[in-house]
Amino acid sequence: MPTITIFKDDLESLLTGEGGVVRGIPMAQLEEWLMLVKGELKGHNPETGELRIELQDSNRPDLWCCEGIARQIRIKQQGRLKPYAFFAETPTSPHHLIVKPGMEQVRPYVAACTAKGYRVTEKGLAQLIQTQEKLADIFGRKRKTVSIGIYQLRNITFPVTYELVKPDDVRFTPLGMETAMTLSEILMVHPKGLEYGPILAVQSLLPILRDAKAQPLSFPPIINSREIGEVRVGDDELFVEVTGTDLRMVILSLNIFAANLADRGATIEPVEVRYPTRTVLGKRVKTPQDLGKPVTIRMKAIEQALGQELGEAMVKQALEAYGYNVSAEKGSVKAKLPPYRHDLMHTMDVVEDVAMSRGYAEFTPVMPAQFTVGGLSAIEQLSDRSRELMVGLGFQEIISNILGSPEQYCRGMRLEGTEWGRTVDVDNVMSLSFSCLRQWMLPSLLRIEAASSRAFYPHRLFEAGDVAIPDGTHELGSRTETVIGALIAHATTHFSEIHSCLDVLCYYLGKDYSLEPLQHPSFLEGRAGRILVSGKPVGVIGEVHPEVLERWQISMPVVAFEVNLSQLADLG
Amino acid sequence: MDISTLIDSLHPLEIKVLTTLGLRQSGTALGSEQLAGAAELEASQLSMAVEWLLAKSLITVQTETVTPIVSLTKIGEEYYQTASPIERVLTAAREATGTGKRLTIPDLQSQGGLDPSDVSKAVGRLKKEGVVLIIQGGCIETTGRPSPTVEALRTLLGDMHDSPKELKNFTEAHRQIIEDFAVKRGNAKEPFRVDERVARSFILSPDGAGAAAQLLTQGVAEEVSQLTPDLLKDGSWRQTRLRKYTISLRPPRIGTGKKHPYREFLDTVKTKLVSMGFQEMRGALVETEFWDMDALFMPQFHPARDIHDVYFVKEPSHTTAVDEPFLSRVAKVHENGAETGSTGWGYSFDVHRAKRLVLRSQGTAVSARTLAASPQIPGKYFSIARCFRYDQVDATHATDFFQVEGIVLGEDINFRTLLGLLNLFAREVAQAKEVKFLPAYFPFTEPSVEMHVRHPRLGWMELGGAGLFRSEVTLPLGVTVPVIAWGLGLDRMAMVALGIHDIRELFTDNLELIRTTRGLF
């Protein structure tokens, strides 16, 4: 679901890798390729070559960048992924990153690598920053679980340490500031400190990355140092680190970054992270690292799910052309995700990749053949029958929002502090106009009446629909019930006019009803009743109280009734 | 024209006049007033009928006399109330003379209520009659003689205040005064008006006499506009002339009983789905996060579960309990996949969070509940569910809206039957013959498809999304067969059909718009 901005010429360069660059790829071709990454073209500026692309798959952070999109298309064209050497090699004397004790309480994990030989261009820098932001924001849940820093390598002396310090013991000049600040000052003053500070809210000691000369690199996950942590156009030696709370997510994020930089021509050198205690991957963790494990999938499962016989060879070919490492056996395939992906939860995830790699158009639709009986629920049938009757009685159907305001549903109806005025309220209110669910229908009808004094009279309106009635005995705290409400407004309307309509409705619904006098704040005293069926209350009827009309600024007499169809249905 | 056709074409007023004249001895002329009296017609009705009959040459004018009639103008009525200017000038002059005060014409002209030109005219006339003198310094003094003009005016204003009178009934002297003080061309500000009343008498023409005779022998059919039960009961409709209507006029507008056009649209969708073998499901407006999201394998840290995407309920904030064994099973699946063959999300599931109450954010919640309630296999289900999203309301985002969603369960369900079902929807719901399937992402389905169709009027549009429910969704809810989950995005189709461009208008409060929208789908 992230939307990213990339440039067409940048994408074209990445598509071809080394060798000749193809320019001027037609947009139609591009849109078809985007199917491979579940991408949708949202905008295109032909002059600048800017493309806005929405990536749907929230489990594929590797696709939220120009490099990732290009990679997926490139693999399809070349038939397989060209392996990244740095995942396989074990460097003889790697740089070290030392994690000091205590980090497990705050932000336990870190991964890092260096990238040399890619000279950062203006567009490349914009992409680096965008990828860093999207990964930390969406995949890293607003930096809570993952955040990323990029630095100029030449200013760093290894080993780098990742440790805890007292908030006032370390000072450095953060990005975006002119002067040195302590960590507590950054949290109080710096915009990023204010935005992401809450992640560290309960901590008395704060994390810091420093090099061997004790120069601060950054205060993760808040902000980088301005001296070392600001990458500029023209830099060609970079240091990348990822910190976070989940080791696999941290390493995966670094893998993505490393692959992206490698695709742009950088040589990646892994860094060895040394933890004080064992992690699930041991005490010394080389990063980037391929965490993928091959899974064996029965051919039958794939073919059953896709509804088509494919055979091992075809499945192998399809998966390889989607980046997998595959070996086919009799009746099954063994598939391993590329190291920049970690989204294989179930064999069905592989099945979808087979279908996408082959293209959905390769599958011929077949109608489900099994016989089923269609039908409407009992309440919908009752509601439809009531609606037909109201139409026959000359009423115009209306339809309204269910989410509204206490002003509409309660105060406007003179129901403050009464049982009738209780509503299901929203906790995280955005606008008072949409802050509670309607508990009855009459306000929805008055909403139309209040806006329609110029529409010719008489007005006869009805609505059938759901309401939410607060009910402490119900497991959801409220009951959703279907009601029908009707209103008549004109200069000489009166109780018996609406009573006649109720009478007809009840007659044809086959319900014997009676009215008993009711004191209800929304209606005129002595002109309101409770509708009883088999002795049980199922609704109200009456002349709407003039004060209610005044509150809605309606200057026409209004009579109305409301019947709870759910309760009526329960009475058999 | 033959006589009965002629009679048929006659208006009731014409018939009254003809028969009234026909009852008189042949050749007897009747004046307007007599005719109106005898035919029992208002003056205006008579004059209409007479004009029509003259035009048809059924009557002719026998005599025409012109009578001058005098009446008061609006000014005249004022003079009657306040006295004429000349009388007021005389009164003021007499008073000044009596008290020895100096009174000049400018003095009078500056007095309230009198027009300067009226004053000059009045003084001139009084001086001519010898009632006043202009002495040295322009002062006005009365002579003590009476003014015939003032007396006459007073009498005439009184006489005519009640009703107009014929000019010939006045004396010669009064006729002169009337002449002097009557409205004339170039002088509209006078108390009297003399009109000429034309009095005509009418006689039947030979054709008219024939028609009248025919009408009289038929018996004068009573003219009515309404056929009444009484006319039918006693058979008197046979003697009754029912007036013929002018049917080319627009009729008066009436209020109608009618379904709401958007509901009508949803009704047609509902009917289509039932006809394809789908059973309707219902659900609650308030749901637990468990059924709204957890059961659909959306991890609790999923961005769409954020406070800015879903409405949370204030009170009570949590449900008392979520049904077992579903809660424990789903929790395990989130954590490690349990027996579903999945790795799970690998985080620790928060049971309290699962109990949080929200306003239903997706119709799929209804499907999840159905899966857990021993659905039919094979089975097809749908719901048209009101859902709520924490969105800023604008032309394309509504805060509550309908989602048309459902599921299909069966042994024969797979990716190709999923595409087949979507093809059916494209044809039945959108009348589309061309369909395109695109890979899509939904947290609860794999594989997932987005369907684009070529609508006959709208062109290429996204019609909906679908997929096969993940095992992580179906197995914990006790369903072991494959399940299609589908959803249709119909609001755009509805908006085009209803001719609106703003999604908020689907729920408009404009009654006139609701009443006049045809809703052709």
Side-chain angles (χ1 to χ4, degrees):
Chain A
M1 65 218 118
T3 301
I4 60 168
T5 302
I6 64 173
F7 289 89
K8 193 155 173 270
D9 55 354
D10 191 26
L11 182 74
E12 284 164 348
S13 310
L14 286 160
L15 271 179
T16 32
E18 320 95 49
V21 171
V22 180
R23 295 286 175 211
I25 293 171
M27 291 306 292
Q29 172 70 72
L30 200 62
E31 285 198 65
E32 203 182 309
W33 282 341
L34 285 178
M35 283 194 210
L36 285 168
V37 298
K38 297 184 187 174
E40 191 184 337
L41 190 64
K42 291 283 184 185
H44 172 216
N45 184 339
E47 274 168 36
T48 59
E50 192 182 293
L51 306 170
R52 287 181 55 73
I53 297 172
E54 188 189 43
L55 285 314
Q56 285 193 26
D57 197 329
S58 56
N59 292 337
R60 290 284 307 271
D62 62 296
L63 296 177
W64 305 346
C65 49
C66 193
E67 298 89 339
I69 293 171
R71 187 183 305 129
Q72 193 71 69
I73 299 168
R74 207 171 59 225
I75 296 169
K76 171 79 178 163
Q77 288 173 325
Q78 298 175 349
R80 64 178 65 244
L81 171 69
K82 220 179 115 212
Y84 291 99
F86 55 87
F87 285 112
E89 289 163 9
T90 309
T92 42
S93 55
H95 291 308
H96 291 168
L97 196 159
I98 295 152
V99 180
K100 293 282 180 72
M103 293 314 300
E104 63 277 7
Q105 303 300 323
V106 182
R107 197 170 177 84
Y109 304 109
V110 62
C113 70
T114 63
K116 294 180 188 167
Y118 163 61
R119 191 171 294 277
V120 176
T121 61
E122 200 177 322
K123 279 178 183 168
L125 182 60
Q127 291 299 312
L128 274 181
I129 292 169
Q130 176 173 265
T131 309
Q132 180 186 10
E133 281 173 356
K134 296 290 175 191
L135 278 178
D137 201 43
I138 301 170
F139 185 63
R141 295 169 220 163
K142 298 199 166 68
R143 300 194 187 177
K144 216 164 104 193
T145 51
V146 167
S147 65
I148 300 148
I150 312 174
Y151 311 82
Q152 305 162 33
L153 178 63
R154 68 170 61 85
N155 295 335
I156 298 170
T157 313
F158 286 91
V160 170
T161 55
Y162 181 47
E163 62 195 308
L164 291 174
V165 292
K166 288 188 185 148
D168 296 316
D169 281 4
V170 175
R171 297 164 65 83
F172 68 92
T173 308
L175 284 174
M177 291 283 164
E178 299 292 327
T179 55
M181 302 167 91
T182 66
L183 301 190
S184 50
E185 282 168 345
I186 289 173
L187 288 181
M188 280 185 293
V189 177
H190 197 283
K192 299 289 177 192
L194 294 168
E195 190 177 352
Y196 299 107
I199 296 171
L200 300 167
V202 294
Q203 306 298 340
S204 52
L205 296 175
L206 299 172
I208 188 120
L209 276 166
R210 287 191 286 199
D211 76 352
K213 289 194 211 152
Q215 296 185 91
L217 271 63
S218 71
F219 168 23
I222 313 294
I223 191 82
N224 279 14
S225 146
R226 190 175 146 162
E227 282 92 31
I228 301 178
E230 186 171 36
V231 176
R232 297 186 188 84
V233 172
D235 288 344
D236 61 357
E237 292 194 350
L238 305 175
F239 174 69
V240 183
E241 56 76 18
V242 182
T243 60
T245 55
D246 180 304
L247 181 57
R248 288 174 190 282
M249 283 173 77
V250 165
I251 292 178
L252 178 69
S253 303
L254 185 77
N255 291 355
I256 292 170
F257 243 90
N260 287 359
L261 286 165
D263 285 354
R264 288 190 181 275
T267 305
I268 304 296
E269 280 177 23
V271 167
E272 186 179 290
V273 182
R274 297 185 166 184
Y275 289 95
T277 51
R278 275 189 74 83
T279 70
V280 286
L281 298 175
K283 233 176 143 178
R284 294 181 179 193
V285 182
K286 187 203 78 164
T287 61
Q289 185 175 142
D290 186 353
L291 299 172
K293 289 197 181 64
V295 290
T296 304
I297 309 160
R298 286 178 307 118
M299 280 303 299
K300 225 180 125 193
I302 298 174
E303 289 173 340
Q304 225 165 36
L306 292 175
Q308 196 155 311
E309 279 185 25
L310 295 168
E312 289 86 349
M314 202 183 270
V315 168
K316 180 173 190 286
Q317 187 192 24
L319 285 175
E320 278 176 347
Y322 206 67
Y324 283 78
N325 191 319
V326 191
S327 55
E329 290 153 28
K330 181 90 185 103
S332 67
V333 290
K334 206 167 171 187
K336 188 180 137 319
L337 281 178
Y340 49 83
R341 280 182 64 180
H342 187 59
D343 58 314
L344 207 169
M345 300 173 85
H346 194 275
T347 51
M348 281 301 266
D349 297 315
V350 181
V351 170
E352 186 184 71
D353 286 345
V354 171
M356 270 205 289
S357 180
R358 290 188 57 74
Y360 282 8
E362 291 294 308
F363 297 86
T364 320
V366 178
M367 273 300 298
Q370 291 181 306
F371 177 79
T372 58
V373 176
L376 295 177
S377 64
I379 189 70
E380 185 70 5
Q381 290 179 47
L382 181 62
S383 163
D384 280 354
R385 188 159 161 70
S386 308
R387 289 169 60 215
E388 295 281 353
L389 288 167
M390 293 314 293
V391 167
L393 282 163
F395 284 73
Q396 167 68 54
E397 183 173 38
I398 59 143
I399 187 166
S400 310
N401 285 87
I402 292 179
L403 195 56
S405 68
E407 187 58 43
Q408 273 178 293
Y409 299 154
C410 181
R411 278 193 290 280
M413 306 306 297
R414 299 175 81 230
L415 294 177
E416 304 100 307
T418 69
E419 185 63 22
W420 290 297
R422 290 182 56 218
T423 51
V424 172
D425 297 335
V426 165
D427 197 15
N428 51 332
V429 174
M430 168 159 38
S431 146
L432 261 189
S433 314
F434 304 109
S435 59
C436 62
L437 296 182
R438 72 177 172 202
Q439 80 283 27
W440 65 323
M441 191 59 85
L442 185 52
S444 294
L445 297 164
L446 289 179
R447 174 187 75 106
I448 308 265
E449 182 54 35
S452 303
S453 60
R454 292 223 196 98
F456 83 96
Y457 285 90
H459 293 171
R460 293 160 84 89
L461 312 175
F462 83 97
E463 178 170 355
D466 286 352
V467 300
I469 302 165
D471 180 351
T473 67
H474 194 279
E475 56 166 26
L476 296 172
S478 62
R479 288 174 280 129
T480 294
E481 295 187 337
T482 305
V483 305
I484 189 162
L487 163 160
I488 301 175
H490 62 84
T492 58
T493 191
H494 47 73
F495 186 87
S496 52
E497 189 179 4
I498 193 76
H499 191 184
S500 302
C501 298
L502 174 70
D503 201 68
V504 169
L505 180 68
C506 288
Y507 177 80
Y508 287 109
L509 293 181
K511 303 290 176 188
D512 280 331
Y513 77 101
S514 59
L515 297 185
E516 80 179 10
L518 171 69
Q519 277 202 335
H520 187 297
S522 303
F523 298 101
L524 271 174
E525 201 180 334
R527 298 183 178 192
R530 180 178 274 131
I531 305 167
L532 301 173
V533 171
S534 311
K536 299 255 170 55
V538 296
V540 291
I541 180 168
E543 293 191 8
V544 176
H545 199 286
E547 202 178 304
V548 170
L549 298 179
E550 258 179 30
R551 290 186 189 187
W552 284 86
Q553 294 181 306
I554 293 170
S555 50
M556 195 58 81
V558 173
V559 293
F561 75 73
E562 176 155 342
V563 173
N564 187 315
L565 296 174
S566 300
Q567 288 170 10
L568 203 62
D570 287 345
L571 296 172
Chain B
M1 191 189 288
D2 126 305
I3 198 152
S4 57
T5 316
L6 175 77
I7 286 173
D8 268 351
S9 78
L10 292 176
H11 188 273
L13 292 177
E14 292 176 302
I15 292 169
K16 279 200 173 165
V17 172
L18 281 180
T19 50
T20 306
L21 284 169
L23 285 170
R24 307 287 147 149
Q25 199 150 23
S26 138
T28 312
L30 282 179
S32 300
E33 275 175 37
Q34 295 163 290
L35 197 48
E40 298 174 325
L41 294 176
E42 302 276 319
S44 60
Q45 292 177 316
L46 181 79
S47 92
M48 273 195 295
V50 160
E51 291 310 319
W52 294 335
L53 290 169
L54 284 171
K56 291 176 185 170
S57 302
L58 295 176
I59 58 171
T60 52
V61 177
Q62 174 84 353
T63 60
E64 186 168 274
T65 52
V66 178
T67 317
I69 304 286
V70 193
S71 58
L72 291 192
T73 62
K74 216 174 153 204
I75 302 274
E77 288 294 341
E78 273 172 37
Y79 288 1
Y80 171 74
Q81 300 293 337
T82 60
S84 60
I86 190 170
E87 183 171 351
R88 286 165 72 189
V89 166
L90 182 57
T91 311
R94 280 192 177 134
E95 196 185 298
T97 309
T99 57
K101 258 175 38 191
R102 280 170 51 90
L103 185 74
T104 62
I105 291 180
D107 286 342
L108 281 166
Q109 285 175 335
S110 61
Q111 263 180 18
L114 282 172
D115 191 277
S117 65
D118 285 346
V119 172
S120 325
K121 253 167 63 186
V123 172
R125 186 152 188 128
L126 290 171
K127 203 173 129 202
K128 206 168 153 195
E129 287 183 336
V131 181
V132 299
L133 297 169
I134 308 292
I135 59 166
Q136 208 181 359
C139 287
I140 302 166
E141 207 170 66
T142 51
T143 58
R145 288 173 65 172
S147 161
T149 305
V150 170
E151 301 301 323
L153 268 178
R154 196 186 296 144
T155 312
L156 286 170
L157 287 170
D159 274 358
M160 274 176 290
H161 161 64
D162 287 332
S163 59
K165 297 274 184 311
E166 276 185 42
L167 186 63
K168 66 170 193 259
N169 296 343
F170 293 102
T171 62
E172 177 62 36
H174 278 177
R175 285 215 291 272
Q176 188 55 52
I177 294 289
I178 289 169
E179 172 77 4
D180 290 352
F181 288 88
V183 174
K184 289 181 264 311
R185 221 185 160 147
N187 187 11
K189 254 193 80 193
E190 292 294 352
F192 305 117
R193 171 191 289 124
V194 181
D195 295 307
E196 295 190 332
R197 181 183 291 167
V198 181
R200 293 182 293 183
S201 68
F202 305 98
I203 187 169
L204 289 170
S205 70
D207 280 351
Q214 175 85 10
L215 281 169
L216 288 167
T217 46
Q218 273 179 7
V220 181
E222 207 180 320
E223 94 87 21
V224 288
S225 59
Q226 184 75 38
L227 183 64
T228 63
D230 288 342
L231 291 174
L232 290 167
K233 263 182 225 158
D234 61 12
S236 56
W237 62 271
R238 287 186 172 80
Q239 285 80 49
T240 308
R241 240 183 76 88
L242 280 164
R243 183 151 58 82
K244 291 178 180 171
Y245 294 146
T246 308
I247 57 166
S248 57
L249 300 177
R250 286 192 65 83
R253 195 174 162 191
I254 52 167
T256 341
K258 194 167 79 50
K259 286 182 183 171
H260 189 281
Y262 183 41
R263 273 303 282 264
E264 227 179 336
F265 171 77
L266 293 173
D267 283 350
T268 61
V269 172
K270 196 166 82 179
T271 310
K272 286 272 184 206
L273 289 167
V274 169
S275 74
M276 289 186 260
F278 284 84
Q279 174 70 42
E280 194 208 6
M281 318 177 271
R282 304 284 284 202
L285 297 172
V286 173
E287 255 304 356
T288 53
E289 282 204 44
F290 180 81
W291 290 111
D292 199 67
M293 290 169 282
D294 293 329
L296 295 167
F297 200 53
M298 288 173 73
Q300 292 182 322
F301 55 78
H302 195 281
R305 300 183 61 160
D306 199 68
I307 187 143
H308 299 300
D309 291 278
V310 181
Y311 279 113
F312 294 98
V313 175
K314 194 175 190 175
E315 177 70 44
S317 59
H318 291 76
T319 185
T320 43
V322 173
D323 286 345
E324 288 292 6
F326 307 117
L327 178 60
S328 314
R329 284 190 196 160
V330 168
K332 273 199 208 106
V333 169
H334 276 241
E335 286 177 350
N336 57 31
E339 288 90 46
T340 61
S342 170
T343 61
W345 288 107
Y347 72 104
S348 117
F349 186 87
D350 180 357
V351 171
H352 191 60
R353 177 81 193 264
K355 293 179 180 169
R356 185 79 175 95
L357 292 173
V358 297
L359 304 189
R360 177 173 60 203
S361 71
Q362 48 190 356
T364 323
V366 186
S367 300
R369 288 238 186 212
T370 301
L371 286 181
S374 308
Q376 302 257 339
I377 295 169
K380 296 202 197 98
Y381 295 89
F382 81 99
S383 74
I384 300 182
R386 196 72 77 95
C387 299
F388 305 88
R389 291 276 168 87
Y390 194 89
D391 268 329
Q392 285 290 350
V393 177
D394 60 30
T396 53
H397 294 88
T399 181
D400 54 308
F401 52 89
F402 283 107
Q403 273 193 344
V404 183
E405 296 224 6
I407 48 177
V408 179
L409 310 92
E411 298 289 353
D412 69 338
I413 293 305
N414 57 46
F415 186 61
R416 286 174 67 200
T417 47
L418 164 67
L419 300 183
L421 179 80
L422 294 180
N423 257 349
L424 182 69
F425 283 155
R427 203 168 58 229
E428 291 297 316
V429 181
Q431 303 99 49
K433 290 196 181 73
E434 275 183 82
V435 183
K436 218 162 47 183
F437 298 115
L438 272 59
Y441 176 80
F442 307 106
F444 37 81
T445 54
E446 192 88 7
S448 308
V449 190
E450 208 170 74
M451 172 176 43
H452 291 236
V453 301
R454 176 126 77 183
H455 188 275
R457 273 171 296 143
L458 309 181
W460 282 104
M461 58 172 265
E462 187 183 333
L463 184 63
L468 300 179
F469 258 136
R470 302 185 67 103
S471 310
E472 293 96 323
V473 175
T474 53
L475 292 178
L477 301 181
V479 173
T480 52
V481 296
V483 181
I484 291 172
W486 56 267
L488 297 174
L490 300 177
D491 280 353
R492 192 160 158 254
M493 249 169 74
M495 285 165 69
V496 172
L498 299 174
I500 58 177
H501 304 286
D502 187 322
I503 199 163
R504 286 167 290 194
E505 283 192 30
L506 289 174
F507 293 165
T508 181
D509 60 9
N510 183 340
L511 181 57
E512 191 59 20
L513 183 71
I514 299 170
R515 277 172 164 173
T516 52
T517 302
R518 284 195 187 91
L520 303 170
F521 306 108

